[in-house]
Amino acid sequence: MDSLVIEGGARLRGSLKINGSKNASLPLMAGALLAGPGGGATFLRDVPNLSDIVHQIALLRELGCEVERQADGALKIEVKDEKDSHARYDLVRKMRASICVLGPLLARRKYARISMPGGCAIGDRPVDIHLRGLEAMGAVIDLDGGDIIARTDQLTGAEIFLGGNFGSTVLGTANVMSAATLAKGTTMIESAACEPEVVDLANCLNAMGAKITGAGTPRILIEGVEALHGAAHTVIPDRIEAGTFMVAAAITNGEVRLENCRLDHLMAVVDKLRAIGVIIEKDNGGCTVASVRRLEAATLTTQPHPGFPTDLQAQFMALLSIADGNSVITEKIFPDRFLHVAELARLGARLHKEGSTVIIQGQKKLIGAPVMASDLRASAALVIAGLIAKGTTTVMRVYHIDRGYEKIEQRLINVGAKIKRVSQEELEL
Ligand code: EPU
């Protein structure tokens, strides 16, 4: 298990390229199943090289796909046979987003057996809304030995309300929208997730022959078609990766240009950063993020898109922990997503958690210490805090960060961070 050892205090300066989005790539790769054998290959450009993607590739291969990286980096996915429709626990427990093969498998093969994803470090994470949506289209769903078993003779279009207690569901919308592409008749999803990753999936499915309108709004209409075929598609830039690097630039009082960054996907984040004193200037294909003074405190609440994303909550907590004054962060998507609180406190952050709200008393400085990564975004927050903490911060269990950020230490080194990756053995020497 590797760790990242960070010497705090270096100002980040230079340019960074944002990779394709992990959370867009995972459902897009699952969507390629909808072409079926003989339907031609799907080529996805800008799929990042991450452990979650490696797991998704392994799953697609088990499901009868040939998957390979082309010389130009594009991921080629071609369905060769449809005999096996079982996503086993071994794979699903490594990556719960494997659930996004459920809709495509059911629509195309009329049968899917998917291990029920368990909870994870950020909360319970049920999939009841995904199942409710598929049932509304005529799927029969049972649970056996921890597996969800979904069958249908033919999915039929339906009017489906897909909202839940915490708002819309991103992968639930992806699953139901994907399944509806091959249903008989028209499906209307009300309270659909509006995230850019849903829009990206709809664009790719349309290029494959689907008839989807309204993606990016709470009401999506899908007119079912007979068959889909392969297509070529470029994955959108990762807005969470971009937001994470923005915070890293801001906390170090640096100046970093982000290439391949879509500010229109990050409006709530940019608004908050500007409000606390970060300078963000848009240019052709990207933006420059700079900070020249002590930042101000803020109040923020996570919400479904276009609100402030839960996937940047931990990173902002690190940033606000050295802001001037008291800040308040409320988590409305995953109310238990706070494992980073105790670790940030080890670095000297003054945090008081009350239910799903954390009050942050801004400090003048943080002080380096060994800390433990608990999940992907919490790890990113600890790295960000380490960039400014006085002395050495060692972030252990960084395999979490490799799930979502490709070569993070190398890219941060390129803009001036003092950070290195060490193995457990090296750490113990
Ligand atoms: N929910 C239910 N029932 C369901 C589905 C969701 O109650 O059937 C609840 C969840 O428990 C949560 C809320 O609805 O309270 C929203 O969850 P959502 O379904 O939108 O999450 P997801 O689709 O499983 C994706 C991202 C997450 C991101 C969330 C929210 C992927 C692969 N994952 O998860 O990304 O936090 O949307 O934006 O797209 C990450 O990248 O670090 C990450 C966790």
Side-chain angles (χ1 to χ4, degrees), residues 22-24 26-27 52 95-97 99-100 120 122-132 164-173 193 195 197 239-240 303-305 309-311 332-335 337 375-377 403-405:
K22 162 183 88 80
N23 288 350
L26 295 168
D52 273 12
M95 197 208 29
R96 64 181 316 294
I99 188 72
C100 57
C120 73
I122 67 174
D124 294 344
R125 310 200 64 185
V127 292
D128 55 314
I129 306 174
H130 302 227
L131 305 184
R132 218 174 59 208
N165 292 343
F166 299 96
S168 50
T169 156
V170 179
L171 291 181
T173 302
E195 270 68 2
E197 294 77 15
R239 64 194 168 101
I240 304 302
Q303 284 166 341
H305 192 77
T310 171
D311 291 343
K332 292 261 190 189
I333 309 290
F334 296 111
R337 192 175 200 174
D375 69 81
L376 169 55
R377 307 304 172 187
R403 288 187 37 227
Y405 300 89

Side-chain angles (χ1 to χ4, degrees), residues 197-214:
E197 294 77 15
V198 172
V199 179
D200 204 34
L201 176 62
N203 288 341
C204 180
L205 293 174
N206 282 342
M208 294 170 71
K211 291 190 174 161
I212 303 171
T213 53

